[in-house]
Amino acid sequence: MSKKIFIKTFGCQMNEYDSNRIYDLTSKIGFTKTEIKKDANCIVLNTCNIREKAKEKVYDEIGRIKKSFKNLKKPIMIISGCVAQAESNEMIRREPYIDMVIGPQSYHKITDLILKYKGKKQKFNETEFDVIKKFDELQKIPHSENKISSYVTIQEGCDKFCNFCVVPYTRGPEHSRSFKQIIKEAGNLIDMGTKEIILLGQNVNAYNFVEQKKSYKLSSIIRELNSLKKISRIRYTTSHPKDMTKDLIDCFKDCKKLSPFLHLPIQSGSNEILKKMNRKHTREYYLSIIEKLNKANKDIKISSDFIVGYPGETEKDFENTIDLIKEVGFINSYSFIFSPRPGTPAATKKVNNKSENLEKLKKLQSVLEIIQINNNKNYLNKYCEVLVENKVNENDKYFGRTKYMTPIIFESKNINPGDLVNVKVTSYSKKSLFGFSINNKIKAA
Ligand code: SAM
Ligand code: SF4
Ligand code: F3S
């Protein structure tokens, strides 16, 4: 009987990349991927520790797994990702159902640990920061799934230490992967049919790799990928405003395959709060970057992350954030109520009133939503370029994304996943566009 592995992924795209790689790694020791939890001999929860809620979801999920396996053979229960790193042995103490805790820089060891596991009461804990070893091991393992849009992690960790954030503690210091290794991995994915490469890093634009006295930046990777024939789109996330250098901004002018869409978190529109957060940039500096981006490419659109209710945030600070949102006109953004994370400097500060925070979040989200809806409305009766990702059903309906990541469902004939097509938009909702495409193939897969 074949062994089956089920992975549930929480958190950011970097965790999604890691989960895909865990599938690739475990396939080498005979595991096949299953979408049905109950069929699994091994379950991995790839966890996120960014907010308290994200962490608690993990324990809730273990509770559900225990229930559904009550009359079945217990699967090997593995916790990977950022909660594993932050809580380590504490997790095994709190929940003895867990067999292994593996940090985000140690998951290349997962196959050895599974092979060692004998179903005894022995527990494994691998939470070292061994990032160079990890990527050296991973490069030996080919990707097993071909996708139209694929992630490639190019950078890990963070040296910025925003006062609210756990990432520098869970992912460790900034580390950039070898340029050659990245281009090779992207090339392999493109050979397998990938049309869009999304370069990932907690601070992706801090990428800096030096080899034989030559320094490679994120712009070097973008320019190299842009020159490859079989690729249609390039994107990167997540960027820090401080690292938006001229060479990177120029890519939006020069590289036609680079999507004119940038996720650039600001967190707050108030300089007082940005200072309290230790964000290392001001509102004015952020706006100057937006101006440079707009000059480089007039079609560029920006999305961002916002935290409301940061300790000490006044009504005025909050209004400054609302003004900034209106000024920039952010699309597709994320917003959260501040969540105190143990071990971070902000965790010891007095938290703001819960219901006021909730009110603020609602207001901020409604402002973002109006901009988003107007942005979608602007597409009405116009054509937009769509990368086809898959067929939705038998009635010639397809799913794809615009250059700005907006999902679009449309009718068409004789097209394939991976094609770039021109779609006429006939209606829209808050989050999606709808339309059709007739003989509008821009580029075949
Ligand atoms: N590196 C990115 C940057 O420079 O902003 C962000 C990475 S973090 C994984 C994603 C987002 O989670 C942050 O931009 C922030 O808005 C949010 N976040 C992080 N810590 C948080 C906390 N303690 N409470 C609420 N939101 C938080
Ligand atoms: Fe967290 Fe700040 Fe680093 Fe982003 S830059 S990962 S928010 S510490
Ligand atoms: Fe979460 Fe870790 Fe990503 S805390 S957001 S999974 S880097």
Side-chain angles (χ1 to χ4, degrees), residues 10-12 14-15 47-50 82 166-167 170-171 202:
F10 301 83
C12 63
M14 305 214 36
N15 262 11
T47 60
C48 172
N49 197 29
I50 204 80
C82 292
V166 290
V167 172
T170 59
R171 293 273 172 167
Q202 269 93 24

Side-chain angles (χ1 to χ4, degrees), residues 336-362:
F336 319 94
I337 292 178
F338 167 70
S339 168
R341 307 306 295 123
T344 63
T348 53
K349 305 278 180 242
K350 188 173 174 279
V351 287
N352 296 1
N353 180 285
K354 215 173 167 181
S355 61
E356 280 173 21
N357 284 346
L358 205 61
E359 274 309 301
K360 277 181 177 171
L361 184 70
K362 271 195 209 148

Side-chain angles (χ1 to χ4, degrees), residues 254-269:
D254 304 334
C255 302
K256 293 284 162 276
K257 294 175 183 174
L258 178 64
S259 292
F261 176 56
L262 178 67
H263 185 61
L264 194 61
I266 182 164
Q267 317 298 350
S268 169

Side-chain angles (χ1 to χ4, degrees), residues 61-79:
E61 184 62 32
I62 299 172
R64 280 192 289 273
I65 292 167
K66 269 162 82 175
K67 250 192 206 158
S68 47
F69 278 87
K70 209 171 165 201
N71 301 316
L72 298 169
K73 187 169 182 275
K74 179 187 177 304
I76 308 174
M77 184 75 229
I78 302 177
I79 309 297

Side-chain angles (χ1 to χ4, degrees), residues 8-138:
K8 180 154 181 168
T9 310
F10 301 83
C12 63
Q13 292 104 323
M14 305 214 36
N15 262 11
E16 273 181 53
Y17 173 85
D18 293 344
S19 293
N20 290 336
R21 300 306 270 144
I22 292 173
Y23 280 128
D24 299 336
L25 283 160
T26 51
S27 75
K28 297 284 156 218
I29 55 164
F31 278 89
T32 52
K33 175 178 175 175
T34 177
E35 306 284 352
I36 305 160
K37 218 186 294 173
K38 270 188 158 180
D39 285 354
N41 316 84
C42 176
I43 296 185
V44 180
L45 301 183
N46 196 8
T47 60
C48 172
N49 197 29
I50 204 80
R51 285 166 289 276
E52 182 63 21
K53 240 191 209 159
K55 193 191 91 180
E56 282 311 313
K57 276 187 197 163
V58 178
Y59 289 102
D60 296 347
E61 184 62 32
I62 299 172
R64 280 192 289 273
I65 292 167
K66 269 162 82 175
K67 250 192 206 158
S68 47
F69 278 87
K70 209 171 165 201
N71 301 316
L72 298 169
K73 187 169 182 275
K74 179 187 177 304
I76 308 174
M77 184 75 229
I78 302 177
I79 309 297
S80 61
C82 292
V83 181
Q85 188 67 45
E87 308 244 310
S88 187
N89 279 331
E90 191 49 44
M91 293 201 89
I92 297 173
R93 267 195 292 274
R94 176 168 164 185
E95 183 44 88
Y97 200 74
I98 299 170
D99 298 299
M100 297 175 200
V101 173
I102 307 176
Q105 309 306 5
S106 312
Y107 71 79
H108 56 289
K109 297 178 186 162
I110 195 165
T111 47
D112 285 349
L113 295 175
I114 291 176
L115 291 174
K116 267 193 221 161
Y117 178 77
K118 299 275 185 278
K120 294 177 192 156
K121 284 204 167 132
Q122 184 188 13
K123 306 283 177 187
F124 295 102
N125 179 1
E126 278 291 348
T127 41
E128 272 171 52
F129 283 131
D130 204 355
V131 66
I132 299 175
K133 195 86 187 287
K134 178 179 84 174
F135 283 118
D136 284 349
E137 288 300 317
L138 284 180

Side-chain angles (χ1 to χ4, degrees), residues 373-374 376-377 380 425-430 432-434:
I373 290 173
N374 282 336
N376 287 352
K377 191 175 166 189
L380 210 53
V425 176
T426 50
S427 64
Y428 63 93
S429 69
K430 215 159 48 181
S432 307
L433 301 172
F434 306 91

